[in-house]
Amino acid sequence: MKKISLSAACVLLAGSLMCSSCIGSFSLFNGYEKWQCNMTSNKFVNGIVGLILQPIVGGICLFVDAVVLNTIEFWTGSNPMAVNKVQTVKGQDGRYYAIKTLKDGYEVKAPNGEITLFTHNSENESWSITQNGITKEIIRFNADGTIQANLLNGEKLTVTNDEAGMQQVREAVYNDNCFALR
């Protein structure tokens, strides 16, 4: 029987940790990569500068992401680099909306400049909508595993956290047309 040295065991352990599926979003490295590809309008200049910066800056970003930020994301459920990230999304109406990730929710900016906030309250596990200065709680996750949907007409509908519960909410919304602020 061969003896496995301590260094070989450490290498195997490190390799198994690196190959696990808990990898995270790598927001810092992806942000650096996006900047590097778009720093100038000339792709050849971007490539040359990338060759110079990639071994140093890319390595540091990758290391910080893998060791620090993804660990924070794994244990807390949110990545510190994801705050204030803006994405453009095409809505069902064919228009494009800017969605900004906030620390406690999302800010949605319509093409006409109207801003709607969706805010998560971690104390009572609820989501609220703020539109035109009016804030209303729209959904709350109850301790017993059910969900309470607050309809615009003032009704509170408690449903199970599954497809049947979602169907009940859809029916109430479509029948009463009272879920979203207008």
Side-chain angles (χ1 to χ4, degrees):
M1 180 186 267
K2 294 183 181 181
K3 283 188 171 181
I4 297 177
S5 69
L6 181 62
S7 60
C10 289
V11 169
L12 288 173
L13 180 62
S16 67
L17 289 174
M18 291 178 67
C19 294
S20 70
S21 63
C22 302
I23 56 174
S25 61
F26 286 90
S27 296
L28 179 64
F29 182 77
N30 290 335
Y32 164 71
E33 182 268 334
K34 189 174 185 179
W35 170 82
Q36 180 186 334
C37 291
N38 299 313
M39 70 178 124
T40 68
S41 59
N42 187 328
K43 67 180 179 180
F44 298 107
V45 172
N46 293 348
I48 292 169
V49 173
L51 285 173
I52 296 167
L53 293 178
Q54 185 66 32
I56 299 164
V57 179
I60 292 170
C61 289
L62 190 60
F63 177 77
V64 169
D65 245 345
V67 175
V68 179
L69 298 176
N70 287 344
T71 303
I72 292 170
E73 182 178 3
F74 176 77
W75 289 107
T76 66
S78 64
N79 188 316
M81 294 300 294
V83 175
N84 294 326
K85 184 176 180 183
V86 178
Q87 290 183 315
T88 304
V89 177
K90 185 176 182 179
Q92 290 180 340
D93 58 1
R95 301 185 310 167
Y96 288 92
Y97 296 83
I99 300 176
K100 182 177 182 180
T101 304
L102 305 173
K103 185 177 181 179
D104 61 347
Y106 301 95
E107 175 188 277
V108 180
K109 186 173 185 181
N112 64 1
E114 183 179 303
I115 294 178
T116 303
L117 295 173
F118 291 94
T119 310
H120 179 255
N121 182 337
S122 57
E123 291 177 13
N124 62 9
E125 288 299 321
S126 68
W127 281 89
S128 300
I129 183 172
T130 303
Q131 203 172 39
N132 301 325
I134 301 169
T135 301
K136 293 197 176 197
E137 183 179 285
I138 54 174
I139 159 178
R140 179 180 296 226
F141 295 91
N142 299 320
D144 64 357
T146 59
I147 297 174
Q148 176 182 305
N150 299 314
L151 306 175
L152 213 103
N153 63 4
E155 288 184 39
K156 295 179 189 269
L157 182 63
T158 302
V159 297
T160 56
N161 188 5
D162 58 10
E163 187 60 38
M166 287 305 300
Q167 185 61 34
Q168 286 179 302
V169 173
R170 281 189 200 108
E171 289 173 5
V173 169
Y174 292 130
N175 290 341
D176 297 334
N177 194 19
C178 58
F179 194 63
L181 295 173
R182 300 265 183 229

